[in-house]
Amino acid sequence: MFPAKDKLTICFAHVAYRMKDRFDLRKTGINNFEVRTYDDLVKRIGEADVVLASGMWKNDLIAHAGKLKFIQSISSGMDQYSKEQLGAKGVRLASAAGVNARAVAEHAIALILAVARRLPEARDNQHKKVWRNMLGDLSQREFELAGKTLLIVGMGRIGSHLAMLAKAFGMKVIGIRRDPSQGENGADAIYGMGDLVELVPQADVVALTCALTPETTGLMSAAAFAAMKPASMFVNVARGKVADEAALTDTMKNDRIWAAAIDVTAEEPLPASSPLWTLPNVFVTPHTAGETRAYEDNVLDILMENLERLWRGDKTLRNQVL
């Protein structure tokens, strides 16, 4: 049986997020505590009926979690959870899928605009007190988004929101998704994942917004990069491993496309030895697309909905995994 509200204890486990602070403002009366390190989580997880975690979760914790009934993941990624071990213990599990879809889509359009308007270069010039002269070379000038074609790889929550934003700037949107029969989700045309290499030559901007799965790992391959137009831009707000990072690096080193803007890399933090740090045609943000001031409250909305379902005895949770 799932514990009643007055018997429930929630553990918030994250190194940075202010989950407890935001939860306490809701005045639910539910007992809760917060841990900031894995060692503290090991020590105290036995007190918890519910855990909110993401990167801090390790399946070794299951042996210490005698009361645990439900895990609400703080992120949409679920690779760290063993469904077999949790299922054997009767622990329910839900993701935070969609919690930052709007934020990530906004970050993607911000990256596109930043590169299109050459804002990283302008910021660098500001620090050097350089006033750039007018450019006679048309290929080096800023460009406008209206009339350009955006290819979105992944037409789920993030991709569909990005499509809406792109349409507001007058862009044409081509979408790629695992199952095209599920609909366009705001794209002008929709295709399957296997059509990527054939479609990239049509795009002025190629944006990755899909989940990392065995099917999408390395999807943006050397062949896909080679097929891009020389004046085009590559954007990745999905996961670093969706793109072949060696092929990306080689593409940018040899100026085969105009620019790349990435929020994710294969290894994070991006190693200091990576050429991506210093290539002038690459703009890097440190996996911050989903982090906004609203993130904690968005996750807590999912948590509270799922708690209400568990108290009612519902069999289905929002974003249910187990």
Side-chain angles (χ1 to χ4, degrees):
M1 291 290 293
F2 192 73
K5 184 175 182 179
D6 62 344
K7 303 294 184 182
L8 192 72
T9 298
I10 300 174
C11 170
F12 299 105
H14 199 278
V15 297
Y17 289 153
R18 315 306 302 182
M19 290 289 173
K20 178 175 171 56
D21 293 348
R22 300 306 302 174
F23 186 76
D24 287 345
L25 290 174
R26 299 184 179 219
K27 301 185 184 302
T28 64
I30 299 173
N31 185 47
N32 67 88
F33 64 93
E34 182 176 69
V35 296
R36 295 287 184 192
T37 69
Y38 178 73
D39 288 345
D40 285 342
L41 182 55
V42 172
K43 293 174 185 175
R44 299 199 63 185
I45 194 170
E47 305 170 35
D49 304 290
V50 174
V51 169
L52 269 75
S54 56
M56 197 183 291
W57 177 265
K58 298 182 188 301
N59 293 306
D60 294 345
L61 291 162
I62 297 172
H64 304 275
K67 294 176 58 182
L68 187 61
K69 298 292 190 297
F70 173 51
I71 299 172
Q72 173 64 65
S73 180
I74 294 172
S75 67
S76 57
M78 304 300 288
D79 292 346
Q80 66 270 45
Y81 302 100
S82 170
K83 300 176 185 64
E84 294 76 16
Q85 293 181 57
L86 292 171
K89 293 287 187 179
V91 178
R92 304 294 301 276
L93 175 65
S95 79
V99 70
N100 58 5
R102 180 177 298 161
V104 175
E106 288 178 3
H107 195 85
I109 204 73
L111 291 176
I112 294 168
L113 283 167
V115 172
R117 306 307 302 174
R118 301 188 67 159
L119 297 185
E121 177 191 21
R123 181 69 173 184
D124 291 344
N125 284 341
Q126 177 185 340
H127 289 160
K128 294 183 288 188
K129 300 180 181 179
V130 172
W131 188 274
R132 193 194 78 186
N133 293 323
M134 297 175 68
L135 298 175
D137 185 347
L138 296 182
S139 68
Q140 296 304 306
R141 289 186 195 169
E142 290 81 354
F143 66 83
E144 301 173 23
L145 299 188
K148 298 293 190 296
T149 296
L150 170 63
L151 174 62
I152 302 176
V153 182
M155 288 301 299
R157 295 179 179 95
I158 297 171
S160 60
H161 196 77
L162 176 58
M164 180 187 71
L165 296 175
K167 289 291 192 67
F169 285 95
M171 300 186 81
K172 175 185 176 182
V173 177
I174 302 172
I176 291 179
R177 65 186 310 177
R178 182 182 59 80
D179 183 3
S181 68
Q182 291 186 4
E184 289 83 2
N185 268 14
D188 296 298
I190 195 76
Y191 298 88
M193 294 290 186
D195 297 317
L196 175 63
V197 175
E198 293 180 11
L199 292 170
V200 289
Q202 302 179 33
D204 299 291
V205 181
V206 176
L208 306 185
T209 61
C210 56
L212 179 64
T213 67
E215 181 185 12
T216 62
T217 299
L219 180 67
M220 192 67 194
S221 62
F225 280 112
M228 290 180 70
K229 295 193 292 189
S232 63
M233 180 197 314
F234 171 70
V235 174
N236 191 358
V237 293
R239 287 293 185 268
K241 291 182 180 179
V242 176
D244 181 332
E245 197 163 282
L248 168 63
T249 302
D250 183 66
T251 297
M252 304 317 297
K253 276 185 173 180
N254 291 285
D255 292 316
R256 295 198 185 101
I257 64 173
W258 191 59
I262 57 174
D263 185 57
V264 290
T265 55
E267 182 181 348
E268 296 181 359
L270 182 63
S273 59
S274 173
L276 296 174
W277 280 115
T278 54
L279 287 169
N281 52 2
V282 178
F283 183 29
V284 179
T285 56
H287 204 151
T288 53
E291 290 189 11
T292 71
R293 299 174 189 183
Y295 192 87
E296 283 87 344
D297 286 315
N298 291 341
V299 173
L300 292 174
D301 287 344
I302 298 175
L303 169 69
M304 293 310 300
E305 180 177 339
N306 279 332
L307 289 181
E308 292 292 343
R309 293 188 186 198
L310 288 164
W311 284 323
R312 291 196 302 266
D314 290 1
K315 294 183 178 180
T316 303
L317 301 175
R318 178 175 170 184
N319 295 336
Q320 178 174 310
V321 178
L322 288 174

